Amino acid sequence: MAEQKAAQLLLDHLDLLTSLESAKPVLDLACGDGRNGLLLAESGVDVVFADKSESALAEVDTHLIAASLPGSCWEVDLEVADINPLAERQFSAILGFRYLHRPLFPALIAATMPTGLVVYETFTTENRHFGRPNNPDFLLRPGELEAIFHGWEIIHSFEGIFKNPERAVAQIIARKPGIADTL
């Protein structure tokens, strides 16, 4: 297991991700040390760990190999202007934690297969009261996350303050409509 504990949101809803019926992998977006994706890999889920940090991915890859876990690493800069890094890729679910690059959301939505899940948690504008991040480019506005996934089945949604440490976050678990659902 990764050194840090996986996000509580993921721990609370692990069954949703371990019971996916797709052969497509789960994408751990901007994965850093991989703590969230590694939890899934340890449960037998195939995970693609995406990050621009070669050193972080090397550590994730070492863990995958040492523990014989399903998964692969993908070194990618998700913030290159005018390039869709997720083009022609499909995932059964996409995880996003503590990361916000608004121009990526249309690509993220397109890369989630029908009936696939998005599990997302990041900081809100209220986080300015608690410290970093405090740049509005990296903070969700009230209701923004739910608005992005309008039309999807919202399985879980939360906006508010967590303690220990104090932080203001928005969370969502949303299921993309299936082809039959959009007719």
Side-chain angles (χ1 to χ4, degrees):
M1 181 66 194
E3 291 178 23
Q4 292 186 29
K5 183 175 108 169
Q8 192 63 48
L9 176 64
L10 193 58
L11 292 167
D12 290 345
H13 298 277
L14 186 59
D15 59 318
L16 285 172
L17 293 150
T18 57
S19 63
L20 292 169
E21 295 183 10
S22 171
K24 300 285 185 190
V26 170
L27 175 64
D28 190 352
L29 191 69
C31 68
D33 69 4
R35 66 191 178 110
N36 294 307
L38 287 171
L39 175 69
L40 294 179
E42 289 170 352
S43 298
V45 176
D46 185 18
V47 179
V48 174
F49 296 84
D51 204 284
K52 69 179 182 179
S53 170
E54 182 180 357
S55 61
L57 290 173
E59 289 184 32
V60 171
D61 197 46
T62 297
H63 189 89
L64 290 172
I65 292 166
S68 298
L69 299 175
S72 61
C73 293
W74 177 30
E75 186 178 345
V76 59
D77 185 344
L78 298 165
E79 299 180 16
V80 176
D82 302 320
I83 294 178
N84 176 359
L86 303 178
E88 300 181 32
R89 290 182 173 254
Q90 288 276 284
F91 300 96
S92 61
I94 297 179
L95 310 178
F97 286 87
R98 298 182 182 184
Y99 176 73
L100 180 61
H101 182 62
R102 288 178 177 90
L104 190 61
F105 275 111
L108 184 147
I109 288 167
T112 305
M113 62 177 287
T115 72
L117 297 172
V118 168
V119 179
Y120 212 93
E121 175 183 298
T122 199
F123 301 99
T124 66
T125 55
E126 291 298 310
N127 201 65
R128 290 184 210 141
H129 300 292
F130 306 112
R132 294 182 163 248
N134 55 27
N135 180 332
D137 291 342
F138 306 125
L139 301 172
L140 288 165
R141 295 178 292 276
E144 184 177 3
L145 199 53
E146 273 202 21
I148 290 167
F149 295 101
H150 174 77
W152 290 37
E153 175 192 357
I154 305 300
I155 297 167
H156 168 85
S157 180
F158 171 83
E159 257 185 56
I161 309 298
F162 284 136
K163 307 256 184 228
N164 299 319
E166 283 192 311
R167 64 207 184 280
V169 300
Q171 302 176 326
I172 199 163
I173 299 176
R175 186 180 308 278
K176 188 174 186 177
I179 294 171
D181 297 335
T182 61
L183 297 178

